[in-house]
Amino acid sequence: MNDNQSITRNVKDFFKYRYDNYLSLSSETSSLRSINFGNTAVSHSMQTDSQQRIYLRIMDAQKIIKSVDDAIESCRNDTEHPYKKILTLRYIQHRSTVYVISQLSFEKTFYYRNLLPNTLIEFANKFLVKQLVNGVENIIDLTVSTAVKSIV
């Protein structure tokens, strides 16, 4: 498998297996009580440490979802490169591939061989940068041969 195939597989796997988990986790902050991180006492209870870890996971999930949104928003979206449209329809709105192709002025073969791989590669690169910009602690690098594991 070449690098571009690895990247496209990583992005597809991210949206198929991980994106909804991050989305679900990131939406839970409205129900959280504030955690006092200013407590400098040496003796922490295991429950407090656990709560802090969960809170930090939720905060990181929020940053990851923001990074996904920012990356999609920054992808090209012109007639020749409808990358934002493809990502939004297919991976955010969960539209079928048949529906996505019907919304584009490209043949099915061109979509699979050129357009979709280029879309996913552009997303992977922009997603990596947006995570750095948004301060994600556990960076998910979809551009490597084996996607790096993260917190969720």
Side-chain angles (χ1 to χ4, degrees):
M1 187 180 300
N2 69 35
D3 287 345
N4 288 345
Q5 289 172 327
S6 291
I7 293 169
T8 58
R9 173 59 40 214
N10 291 343
V11 174
K12 287 178 181 179
D13 287 349
F14 172 79
F15 279 109
K16 185 174 182 178
Y17 300 113
R18 297 163 73 187
Y19 177 75
D20 286 340
N21 291 335
Y22 287 115
L23 192 60
S24 174
L25 191 58
S26 71
S27 67
E28 292 302 317
T29 56
S30 61
S31 61
L32 285 178
R33 291 181 294 144
S34 177
I35 295 176
N36 181 5
F37 288 104
N39 184 357
T40 57
V42 175
S43 62
H44 285 252
S45 72
M46 289 182 69
Q47 182 180 2
T48 301
D49 289 345
S50 178
Q51 288 173 338
Q52 288 176 349
R53 280 193 303 275
I54 292 168
Y55 185 77
L56 292 173
R57 284 181 58 204
I58 292 169
M59 297 305 293
D60 220 32
Q62 285 183 323
K63 292 174 185 177
I64 289 167
I65 293 301
K66 179 169 179 16
S67 298
V68 168
D69 293 345
D70 291 351
I72 290 173
E73 190 61 37
S74 70
C75 284
R76 289 182 279 180
N77 200 37
D78 56 56
T79 310
E80 305 246 339
H81 310 96
Y83 301 160
K84 177 182 171 183
K85 184 175 189 174
I86 291 169
L87 290 162
T88 302
L89 290 173
R90 184 72 187 108
Y91 298 105
I92 304 302
Q93 296 179 2
H94 302 288
R95 300 294 185 130
S96 70
T97 303
V98 171
Y99 179 83
V100 173
I101 292 170
S102 75
Q103 300 300 303
L104 305 170
S105 57
F106 295 98
E107 294 291 324
K108 181 179 174 180
T109 304
F110 183 77
Y111 172 83
Y112 281 111
R113 286 189 184 160
N114 298 92
L115 205 52
L116 183 60
N118 290 339
T119 298
L120 300 177
I121 291 166
E122 180 162 311
F123 171 80
N125 290 322
K126 290 184 179 287
F127 179 55
L128 185 61
V129 172
K130 296 301 181 182
Q131 289 177 89
L132 292 170
V133 169
N134 290 323
V136 173
E137 186 174 329
N138 297 295
I139 300 291
I140 302 166
D141 189 353
L142 302 174
T143 66
V144 295
S145 294
T146 305
V148 175
K149 303 265 189 242
S150 65
I151 61 170
V152 175

Short mmCIF file of all heavy atoms in Angstrom, two decimals, residues 26-60:
data_model
loop_
_atom_site.label_atom_id
_atom_site.label_comp_id
_atom_site.label_asym_id
_atom_site.label_seq_id
_atom_site.Cartn_x
_atom_site.Cartn_y
_atom_site.Cartn_z
N SER A 26 -17.53 15.11 23.03
CA SER A 26 -17.37 16.57 23.06
C SER A 26 -18.66 17.30 23.40
O SER A 26 -18.62 18.43 23.88
CB SER A 26 -16.83 17.07 21.72
OG SER A 26 -17.82 16.97 20.73
N SER A 27 -19.78 16.67 23.21
CA SER A 27 -21.06 17.33 23.47
C SER A 27 -21.47 17.25 24.93
O SER A 27 -22.51 17.76 25.32
CB SER A 27 -22.15 16.73 22.58
OG SER A 27 -22.39 15.39 22.97
N GLU A 28 -20.69 16.60 25.77
CA GLU A 28 -21.05 16.38 27.17
C GLU A 28 -20.64 17.49 28.13
O GLU A 28 -20.94 17.41 29.31
CB GLU A 28 -20.46 15.05 27.66
CG GLU A 28 -21.10 13.85 27.02
CD GLU A 28 -22.61 13.78 27.25
OE1 GLU A 28 -23.06 14.05 28.38
OE2 GLU A 28 -23.33 13.49 26.29
N THR A 29 -19.97 18.52 27.67
CA THR A 29 -19.47 19.54 28.60
C THR A 29 -20.58 20.34 29.26
O THR A 29 -20.39 20.85 30.36
CB THR A 29 -18.51 20.51 27.91
OG1 THR A 29 -19.17 21.08 26.80
CG2 THR A 29 -17.24 19.82 27.50
N SER A 30 -21.71 20.45 28.64
CA SER A 30 -22.79 21.25 29.25
C SER A 30 -23.30 20.61 30.53
O SER A 30 -23.87 21.28 31.39
CB SER A 30 -23.93 21.43 28.25
OG SER A 30 -24.47 20.17 27.90
N SER A 31 -23.10 19.30 30.68
CA SER A 31 -23.59 18.62 31.88
C SER A 31 -22.51 18.45 32.95
O SER A 31 -22.77 17.89 34.00
CB SER A 31 -24.15 17.25 31.50
OG SER A 31 -23.15 16.46 30.92
N LEU A 32 -21.31 18.97 32.71
CA LEU A 32 -20.22 18.83 33.68
C LEU A 32 -20.20 19.96 34.69
O LEU A 32 -20.49 21.10 34.37
CB LEU A 32 -18.87 18.85 32.95
CG LEU A 32 -18.47 17.61 32.20
CD1 LEU A 32 -17.13 17.86 31.53
CD2 LEU A 32 -18.39 16.41 33.08
N ARG A 33 -19.82 19.60 35.91
CA ARG A 33 -19.52 20.63 36.90
C ARG A 33 -18.06 21.02 36.71
O ARG A 33 -17.25 20.23 36.24
CB ARG A 33 -19.69 20.07 38.32
CG ARG A 33 -21.12 19.78 38.69
CD ARG A 33 -21.20 19.25 40.10
NE ARG A 33 -20.54 17.94 40.15
CZ ARG A 33 -19.83 17.50 41.18
NH1 ARG A 33 -19.68 18.23 42.25
NH2 ARG A 33 -19.28 16.30 41.16
N SER A 34 -17.74 22.19 37.12
CA SER A 34 -16.37 22.65 37.02
C SER A 34 -15.48 21.86 37.97
O SER A 34 -15.86 21.58 39.10
CB SER A 34 -16.29 24.13 37.37
OG SER A 34 -14.97 24.57 37.34
N ILE A 35 -14.29 21.51 37.51
CA ILE A 35 -13.32 20.81 38.34
C ILE A 35 -12.28 21.83 38.78
O ILE A 35 -11.77 22.60 37.98
CB ILE A 35 -12.65 19.66 37.57
CG1 ILE A 35 -13.69 18.61 37.23
CG2 ILE A 35 -11.51 19.05 38.36
CD1 ILE A 35 -13.17 17.47 36.39
N ASN A 36 -11.95 21.81 40.06
CA ASN A 36 -10.97 22.74 40.61
C ASN A 36 -9.57 22.18 40.38
O ASN A 36 -9.11 21.31 41.09
CB ASN A 36 -11.23 22.95 42.10
CG ASN A 36 -10.24 23.93 42.71
OD1 ASN A 36 -9.43 24.52 42.02
ND2 ASN A 36 -10.33 24.09 44.02
N PHE A 37 -8.88 22.73 39.35
CA PHE A 37 -7.52 22.29 39.07
C PHE A 37 -6.52 23.05 39.93
O PHE A 37 -5.34 22.76 39.92
CB PHE A 37 -7.18 22.50 37.58
CG PHE A 37 -7.88 21.53 36.69
CD1 PHE A 37 -8.96 21.92 35.92
CD2 PHE A 37 -7.45 20.22 36.59
CE1 PHE A 37 -9.61 21.02 35.10
CE2 PHE A 37 -8.09 19.31 35.77
CZ PHE A 37 -9.17 19.72 35.02
N GLY A 38 -6.99 24.03 40.67
CA GLY A 38 -6.11 24.83 41.51
C GLY A 38 -5.76 24.16 42.82
O GLY A 38 -4.96 24.66 43.60
N ASN A 39 -6.35 23.03 43.10
CA ASN A 39 -6.08 22.32 44.34
C ASN A 39 -4.64 21.80 44.30
O ASN A 39 -4.29 20.94 43.51
CB ASN A 39 -7.07 21.16 44.51
CG ASN A 39 -6.89 20.44 45.83
OD1 ASN A 39 -6.01 20.76 46.60
ND2 ASN A 39 -7.75 19.47 46.07
N THR A 40 -3.81 22.35 45.16
CA THR A 40 -2.39 21.97 45.14
C THR A 40 -2.03 20.99 46.24
O THR A 40 -0.85 20.74 46.49
CB THR A 40 -1.49 23.22 45.27
OG1 THR A 40 -1.86 23.90 46.47
CG2 THR A 40 -1.65 24.12 44.07
N ALA A 41 -3.02 20.47 46.92
CA ALA A 41 -2.75 19.51 47.99
C ALA A 41 -2.07 18.29 47.42
O ALA A 41 -2.33 17.87 46.31
CB ALA A 41 -4.05 19.10 48.68
N VAL A 42 -1.15 17.73 48.19
CA VAL A 42 -0.39 16.57 47.74
C VAL A 42 -1.27 15.34 47.63
O VAL A 42 -1.13 14.55 46.72
CB VAL A 42 0.81 16.31 48.69
CG1 VAL A 42 1.53 15.04 48.31
CG2 VAL A 42 1.74 17.50 48.70
N SER A 43 -2.18 15.17 48.54
CA SER A 43 -3.00 13.96 48.52
C SER A 43 -4.26 14.17 47.69
O SER A 43 -5.14 14.92 48.07
CB SER A 43 -3.39 13.57 49.96
OG SER A 43 -4.17 14.59 50.53
N HIS A 44 -4.28 13.58 46.52
CA HIS A 44 -5.44 13.59 45.65
C HIS A 44 -6.14 12.25 45.79
O HIS A 44 -5.50 11.22 45.91
CB HIS A 44 -5.02 13.75 44.17
CG HIS A 44 -4.59 15.13 43.84
ND1 HIS A 44 -5.36 15.96 43.08
CD2 HIS A 44 -3.48 15.82 44.15
CE1 HIS A 44 -4.73 17.11 42.93
NE2 HIS A 44 -3.58 17.04 43.56
N SER A 45 -7.43 12.29 45.74
CA SER A 45 -8.13 11.01 45.76
C SER A 45 -8.10 10.42 44.35
O SER A 45 -7.94 11.14 43.36
CB SER A 45 -9.58 11.21 46.21
OG SER A 45 -10.32 11.86 45.20
N MET A 46 -8.26 9.12 44.26
CA MET A 46 -8.29 8.48 42.95
C MET A 46 -9.49 8.97 42.16
O MET A 46 -9.42 9.10 40.94
CB MET A 46 -8.31 6.96 43.11
CG MET A 46 -6.97 6.41 43.60
SD MET A 46 -6.96 4.63 43.73
CE MET A 46 -7.03 4.17 42.02
N GLN A 47 -10.59 9.29 42.84
CA GLN A 47 -11.79 9.78 42.16
C GLN A 47 -11.52 11.14 41.52
O GLN A 47 -11.89 11.37 40.38
CB GLN A 47 -12.96 9.88 43.13
CG GLN A 47 -14.23 10.35 42.44
CD GLN A 47 -15.41 10.45 43.40
OE1 GLN A 47 -15.27 10.21 44.59
NE2 GLN A 47 -16.55 10.80 42.88
N THR A 48 -10.84 12.03 42.22
CA THR A 48 -10.53 13.35 41.68
C THR A 48 -9.61 13.22 40.47
O THR A 48 -9.82 13.86 39.45
CB THR A 48 -9.86 14.24 42.75
OG1 THR A 48 -10.76 14.36 43.85
CG2 THR A 48 -9.56 15.62 42.21
N ASP A 49 -8.59 12.37 40.57
CA ASP A 49 -7.68 12.15 39.44
C ASP A 49 -8.44 11.60 38.24
O ASP A 49 -8.22 12.02 37.11
CB ASP A 49 -6.54 11.21 39.83
CG ASP A 49 -5.55 11.84 40.80
OD1 ASP A 49 -5.57 13.09 40.95
OD2 ASP A 49 -4.78 11.10 41.41
N SER A 50 -9.33 10.69 38.48
CA SER A 50 -10.13 10.09 37.41
C SER A 50 -11.02 11.14 36.77
O SER A 50 -11.15 11.20 35.54
CB SER A 50 -10.97 8.94 37.97
OG SER A 50 -11.78 8.40 36.96
N GLN A 51 -11.63 11.99 37.59
CA GLN A 51 -12.48 13.04 37.07
C GLN A 51 -11.68 14.02 36.22
O GLN A 51 -12.15 14.45 35.16
CB GLN A 51 -13.16 13.80 38.21
CG GLN A 51 -14.25 13.01 38.90
CD GLN A 51 -14.77 13.72 40.15
OE1 GLN A 51 -14.09 14.57 40.73
NE2 GLN A 51 -15.97 13.36 40.56
N GLN A 52 -10.49 14.35 36.65
CA GLN A 52 -9.65 15.26 35.89
C GLN A 52 -9.27 14.65 34.54
O GLN A 52 -9.31 15.33 33.51
CB GLN A 52 -8.39 15.62 36.68
CG GLN A 52 -8.66 16.54 37.84
CD GLN A 52 -7.43 16.83 38.68
OE1 GLN A 52 -6.39 16.17 38.52
NE2 GLN A 52 -7.54 17.79 39.57
N ARG A 53 -8.93 13.36 34.53
CA ARG A 53 -8.59 12.69 33.27
C ARG A 53 -9.78 12.68 32.31
O ARG A 53 -9.62 12.93 31.11
CB ARG A 53 -8.09 11.27 33.53
CG ARG A 53 -6.65 11.20 33.98
CD ARG A 53 -6.11 9.77 33.92
NE ARG A 53 -6.88 8.83 34.71
CZ ARG A 53 -6.73 8.62 36.00
NH1 ARG A 53 -5.81 9.29 36.67
NH2 ARG A 53 -7.47 7.74 36.65
N ILE A 54 -10.96 12.41 32.84
CA ILE A 54 -12.16 12.40 31.99
C ILE A 54 -12.42 13.79 31.44
O ILE A 54 -12.71 13.95 30.25
CB ILE A 54 -13.37 11.87 32.79
CG1 ILE A 54 -13.19 10.38 33.09
CG2 ILE A 54 -14.67 12.11 32.02
CD1 ILE A 54 -14.18 9.83 34.11
N TYR A 55 -12.32 14.79 32.31
CA TYR A 55 -12.54 16.17 31.87
C TYR A 55 -11.55 16.53 30.76
O TYR A 55 -11.93 17.14 29.76
CB TYR A 55 -12.39 17.11 33.06
CG TYR A 55 -12.71 18.55 32.72
CD1 TYR A 55 -14.02 18.98 32.59
CD2 TYR A 55 -11.68 19.47 32.53
CE1 TYR A 55 -14.31 20.29 32.27
CE2 TYR A 55 -11.97 20.78 32.21
CZ TYR A 55 -13.27 21.19 32.08
OH TYR A 55 -13.55 22.49 31.76
N LEU A 56 -10.28 16.17 30.92
CA LEU A 56 -9.27 16.48 29.91
C LEU A 56 -9.54 15.73 28.60
O LEU A 56 -9.31 16.28 27.52
CB LEU A 56 -7.87 16.16 30.44
CG LEU A 56 -7.41 17.07 31.59
CD1 LEU A 56 -6.09 16.58 32.17
CD2 LEU A 56 -7.31 18.52 31.14
N ARG A 57 -10.04 14.51 28.68
CA ARG A 57 -10.42 13.77 27.47
C ARG A 57 -11.54 14.48 26.74
O ARG A 57 -11.54 14.58 25.51
CB ARG A 57 -10.87 12.35 27.82
CG ARG A 57 -9.73 11.42 28.16
CD ARG A 57 -10.21 10.02 28.49
NE ARG A 57 -10.96 9.45 27.39
CZ ARG A 57 -11.86 8.49 27.53
NH1 ARG A 57 -12.12 7.98 28.72
NH2 ARG A 57 -12.49 8.01 26.49
N ILE A 58 -12.51 14.99 27.50
CA ILE A 58 -13.63 15.70 26.89
C ILE A 58 -13.14 16.99 26.23
O ILE A 58 -13.54 17.31 25.10
CB ILE A 58 -14.73 15.99 27.93
CG1 ILE A 58 -15.39 14.67 28.36
CG2 ILE A 58 -15.77 16.96 27.38
CD1 ILE A 58 -16.31 14.79 29.56
N MET A 59 -12.28 17.71 26.90
CA MET A 59 -11.73 18.95 26.34
C MET A 59 -10.94 18.66 25.05
O MET A 59 -11.05 19.40 24.08
CB MET A 59 -10.84 19.66 27.37
CG MET A 59 -11.58 20.11 28.62
SD MET A 59 -13.01 21.16 28.29
CE MET A 59 -12.21 22.60 27.66
N ASP A 60 -10.16 17.58 25.06
CA ASP A 60 -9.41 17.22 23.86
C ASP A 60 -10.37 16.82 22.73
O ASP A 60 -10.16 17.17 21.57
CB ASP A 60 -8.42 16.09 24.16
CG ASP A 60 -7.09 16.27 23.46
OD1 ASP A 60 -6.67 17.43 23.24
OD2 ASP A 60 -6.46 15.25 23.13
#
